[in-house]
Amino acid sequence: MNATKLKRGDRKGDPARGFAVEIIHPGLSLGGSDSGLGAIGRIDRATVAPGHVIGMHPHRDDEILTYVRAGRMLHRDTVGNAEEITATRLMMMNAGHTFQHEERMLDHGPVEALQIFLRPRAADLGPKVQFHDFGEVLSHGKWRLIAGPEGAPLEVRAQAWVSDAHVAAGAALSLPPLPAPDAVRLLHVFGGDVEVGGLTLRAGDTAYLKGDGGRVLAGSDADLVLFVTDQGAPVFRGGMFSGNVLAD
């Protein structure tokens, strides 16, 4: 396994004004003609102040996983949902050909989350929204599948998988086997610090992992999110947020 540390993303907004986000386009660090990586379009690491409202806005041809780590939000959308999202109850918005939503922050403290923009296998699919209660905030010492193709807790309409794990300080966790010959991985450290493939990663860092095998060693208690994409599978790169922002 080869590991490459990605550059930190572009930062926008201001926490003091209610909303701040770091936008990670993995392809920008890898020097290709695609700002994304296979079905992984972009990853937004967001901090949103209590009471802040992200107003109704559109998506098209985006598969959007809302991965909350702290706080609560109320989700409303144009297909009739009004649902609470928390660190145990996550959401996948399969935007398809037309979809709009808004989010209102509910807690006294800020919401900390990843908004993960995955790419569908094709354009103009039907819109739908999924919710899943995972019961526990953390998956201790093992990988927990959050989203993936048909049969996963939250379904993404592409050959992409998202898992998470909490690793205690001093412990090691092997990376799961790759699901396809052309699959590659991104490892995002939400909190703590780890070593993987000869790299040291701290909170907010992301690494590109190519090749099977490998393990993660935690220097402190660490919360990890693992993204896998099959680069040999079809994806639509024209999504409103997940699409390629570079010239083809």
Side-chain angles (χ1 to χ4, degrees), residues 10-213:
D10 294 332
R11 291 175 170 84
K12 296 186 177 182
D14 182 350
R17 296 178 179 270
F19 181 83
V21 63
E22 178 180 348
I23 301 173
I24 303 166
H25 282 107
L28 294 181
S29 284
L30 299 174
S33 59
D34 186 357
S35 58
L37 178 69
I40 306 167
R42 86 183 217 192
I43 303 164
D44 288 4
R45 184 179 173 117
T47 301
V48 193
H52 189 78
V53 177
I54 301 172
M56 192 68 70
H57 60 281
H59 288 277
R60 183 181 176 91
D61 297 321
D62 297 320
E63 307 272 290
I64 310 148
L65 173 59
T66 302
Y67 180 81
V68 174
R69 298 301 299 135
R72 298 180 300 130
M73 65 175 69
L74 178 65
H75 162 90
R76 297 181 186 274
D77 60 45
T78 50
V79 294
N81 293 296
E83 301 278 352
E84 190 172 305
I85 312 302
T86 69
T88 60
R89 191 167 190 263
L90 306 182
M91 174 180 64
M92 173 74 76
M93 297 177 282
N94 310 94
H97 54 72
T98 179
F99 180 79
Q100 296 192 52
H101 74 111
E102 71 171 26
E103 290 149 340
R104 180 182 298 273
M105 308 307 122
L106 298 176
D107 264 354
H108 297 295
V111 169
E112 298 179 10
L114 297 180
Q115 194 88 315
I116 300 159
F117 296 92
L118 302 170
R119 294 165 167 175
R121 61 179 176 267
D124 296 321
L125 300 174
K128 64 177 182 177
V129 181
Q130 307 165 61
F131 305 90
H132 187 84
D133 193 335
F134 289 87
E136 300 289 337
V137 174
L138 301 173
S139 178
H140 292 274
K142 61 181 180 180
W143 295 107
R144 172 177 61 178
L145 181 64
I146 300 293
E150 186 175 356
L154 294 168
E155 180 188 347
V156 56
R157 297 175 295 192
Q159 293 300 104
W161 297 261
V162 182
S163 304
D164 69 349
H166 176 83
V167 187
L173 181 62
S174 295
L175 293 164
L178 292 173
D182 292 330
V184 295
R185 298 173 285 202
L186 294 178
L187 180 69
H188 180 77
V189 181
F190 202 97
D193 63 270
V194 302
E195 293 183 8
V196 61
L199 300 177
T200 297
L201 304 177
R202 296 180 172 83
D205 287 340
T206 306
Y208 169 62
L209 309 177
K210 188 173 183 180
D212 218 338

